[in-house]
Amino acid sequence: MTWNTSNNSKASELENKPNPDSVAKAQSIPSLSGDVLLVEDNKVNQHLFTFNIEKTGAKVDLAENGQEGLQKALSNHYDLILMDIEMPLMDGKEVMSSLVQLGINTPVYALTANNMPSDIAEYSVIGFRGTLSKPVELTILYQILGQHLTNCNDKVHNTAQRDKILVQDPKIRAMFYTDLAKQHSEITEYIQELNYSELIKVIHVINGLAGNFGYDELTDLAAESLRFLRNKQYQQAIQHCSSLNQKVAEVLNEYND
Amino acid sequence: MSITINILLVDDVEYSRELLRGALLTCVHDHKKDLEANFFHSSTGEDITDTIKYNDIDLVYLDIELPHTSGLKVLKEIRETYPNLMVVMVSGESSIGNVTTSIRDGANGFIVKPFNSGRILETVENYLKRLSKQKS
């Protein structure tokens, strides 16, 4: 069974109506676990790949363009990356070269309609592990997933989220809270002074590390504050910085209790 | 045969250094039984080439956001004297500008905070791969 990415109506038909072919093939869908990064700008393909990969039990993280794909590949650890070639901002070949230089060893497959032997040879030279020609054959997709993800009968499950470090060491946690108290006073002071450049510096540190101490909410608030500060949308920035600082105070109060 | 790596952590935030050191130690202990690591640190990135020379550094984790300079400038300084030393950039954000500049100026890796143990392990494995290539 294949899906044709150039025809939206046909693609959604394939997904929504379980035809006899797909029912018959249902038996052959492997049961897998693992994390797949899908780098694809085309909405129909995003949907179809995600739908079919998630049927195996594997998780899909989506990047909508090459730049986002590169950023996600640097931030998380994936078992497999499937990447379109023709994309805005940064194409798949450029992303692949960057991943190679920065030592990302995750297998990456090119998703492309350019399936001339010369194209496939070029992708291989750049560092792609293989090529999945569009329209993609599900049997080949499942074969590749099976090769790189964990079979569910095995006990080891690997997830990108699981790999995130959560600091338990009381000495390091104490350092974090000491710094956080200092950062709280600084944020209060810089909000009063409307010192945006110093706010960026302080909030940047919280944005980077709060997640490793179990405070994802602080990370999210810090990221939003930074976004407004950098876009020079100061009114919203100050509102977000204040919410962040309020949350910081709550975290510190909980710790001191 | 056991291998000892001298690792330099360049970051002004102490708990960030401790966090990375702890994660690297876990990698070393859990995954590579015959590996040992010595840690050195710099809070500012100043006199980086002297620090590398005197401590015989094999692997550098270099934060981009330093108090008085940028890790990207420090990377350039390292490359003038040590073109082949493995340098992994560390940042709170994987902004594309920083990533592309790091690549252009010869960084060998890029990890993002909050730290992910899988990505950190990958950098250690890459160091060992380079080492075995150099030996062969």
Side-chain angles (χ1 to χ4, degrees), chain A:
Chain A
M1 187 171 98
T2 62
W3 69 69
N4 190 332
T5 57
S6 59
N7 183 332
N8 294 10
S9 61
K10 188 180 171 189
S12 46
E13 209 176 270
L14 267 177
E15 181 202 326
N16 293 331
K17 289 185 191 168
N19 63 33
D21 186 24
S22 67
V23 173
K25 296 250 174 164
Q27 295 294 325
S28 63
I29 298 172
S31 179
L32 303 169
S33 77
D35 293 279
V36 178
L37 174 62
L38 173 65
V39 191
E40 169 67 77
D41 65 317
N42 178 288
K43 295 280 177 208
V44 176
N45 276 329
Q46 287 172 2
H47 203 59
L48 285 171
F49 272 103
T50 304
F51 178 77
N52 284 294
I53 296 168
E54 284 181 345
K55 272 202 234 171
T56 68
K59 287 186 190 151
V60 180
D61 196 2
L62 174 70
E64 305 214 29
N65 58 59
Q67 283 190 355
E68 196 187 338
L70 177 56
Q71 288 170 312
K72 287 201 166 186
L74 293 174
S75 306
N76 302 303
H77 187 258
Y78 298 96
D79 301 296
L80 177 68
I81 300 175
L82 301 177
M83 185 154 65
D84 189 19
I85 295 290
E86 311 284 341
M87 283 186 293
L89 299 177
M90 199 180 224
D91 72 26
K93 291 191 281 185
E94 240 179 304
V95 177
M96 187 70 243
S97 306
S98 303
L99 294 178
V100 169
Q101 185 176 334
L102 295 176
I104 306 284
N105 301 323
T106 306
V108 186
Y109 283 77
L111 306 175
T112 178
N114 309 334
N115 51 12
M116 298 289 288
S118 58
D119 296 319
I120 293 174
E122 185 195 357
Y123 302 147
S124 162
V125 169
I126 298 170
F128 284 97
R129 185 72 63 92
T131 301
L132 262 165
S133 302
K134 291 176 186 173
V136 169
E137 282 190 37
L138 274 184
T139 44
I140 295 178
L141 174 67
Y142 288 144
Q143 197 184 328
I144 289 169
L145 293 176
Q147 237 176 305
H148 298 287
L149 306 184
T150 308
N151 192 303
C152 266
N153 299 327
D154 298 342
K155 286 188 178 157
V156 183
H157 285 226
N158 193 12
T159 71
Q161 192 60 27
R162 188 213 64 174
D163 279 347
K164 194 172 90 177
I165 296 165
L166 194 61
V167 179
Q168 307 288 0
D169 184 328
K171 196 180 119 213
I172 303 178
R173 289 196 77 90
M175 283 182 205
F176 169 74
Y177 290 115
T178 308
D179 274 20
L180 199 61
K182 204 172 116 213
Q183 286 149 359
H184 178 66
S185 319
E186 286 171 349
I187 293 173
T188 310
E189 185 188 329
Y190 299 143
I191 286 176
Q192 278 167 5
E193 295 170 359
L194 302 181
N195 188 339
Y196 304 119
S197 58
E198 289 301 317
L199 274 173
I200 289 178
K201 281 189 199 166
V202 179
I203 294 174
H204 185 88
V205 177
I206 298 176
N207 179 48
L209 287 161
N212 283 132
F213 293 85
Y215 298 113
D216 289 340
E217 203 182 331
L218 288 186
T219 306
D220 295 342
L221 282 167
E224 276 292 283
S225 307
L226 284 175
R227 193 165 63 81
F228 285 118
L229 283 165
R230 289 186 176 137
N231 289 340
K232 301 191 173 169
Q233 292 168 276
Y234 293 130
Q235 202 179 340
Q236 291 101 316
I238 290 298
Q239 278 170 9
H240 279 79
C241 292
S242 304
S243 308
L244 169 67
N245 219 20
Q246 176 65 35
K247 187 69 201 166
V248 168
E250 286 169 25
V251 167
L252 288 168
N253 285 338
E254 274 170 34
Y255 173 66
N256 291 326
D257 287 346

Side-chain angles (χ1 to χ4, degrees), chain B:
Chain B
M1 198 184 74
S2 115
I3 299 169
T4 304
I5 318 178
N6 283 358
I7 299 177
L8 174 63
L9 307 178
V10 187
D11 193 329
D12 59 312
V13 180
E14 188 185 4
Y15 66 82
S16 176
R17 286 198 308 264
E18 284 300 310
L19 182 50
L20 185 52
R21 192 174 76 93
L24 284 164
L25 272 177
T26 309
C27 288
V28 165
H29 290 155
D30 289 359
H31 300 275
K32 310 281 168 195
K33 301 286 180 204
D34 53 351
L35 200 61
E36 282 183 30
N38 297 319
F39 291 92
F40 301 85
H41 82 260
S42 161
S43 317
T44 60
E46 278 168 41
D47 303 324
I48 191 83
T49 49
D50 288 345
T51 310
I52 290 168
K53 185 179 166 192
Y54 296 134
N55 299 299
D56 193 19
I57 296 298
D58 302 303
L59 173 57
V60 181
Y61 289 86
L62 174 56
D63 192 41
I64 291 185
E65 296 85 16
L66 293 170
H68 307 297
T69 183
S70 155
L72 295 168
K73 277 191 190 160
V74 179
L75 171 66
K76 274 190 158 176
E77 206 180 318
I78 294 173
R79 282 290 170 253
E80 282 171 15
T81 317
Y82 298 98
N84 298 317
L85 181 69
M86 180 157 163
V87 181
V88 176
M89 305 309 288
V90 180
S91 176
E93 291 163 278
S94 54
S95 88
I96 282 298
N98 283 347
V99 174
T100 48
T101 309
S102 301
I103 290 173
R104 188 197 66 201
D105 292 338
N108 308 101
F110 198 113
I111 55 174
V112 180
K113 299 174 192 175
F115 293 122
N116 174 296
S117 57
R119 293 279 356 269
I120 292 174
L121 174 63
E122 199 171 36
T123 60
V124 175
E125 285 173 343
N126 286 340
Y127 171 77
L128 293 171
K129 265 192 223 163
R130 285 164 61 101
L131 196 66
S132 65
K133 265 190 199 164
Q134 281 165 12
K135 281 184 181 167
S136 64

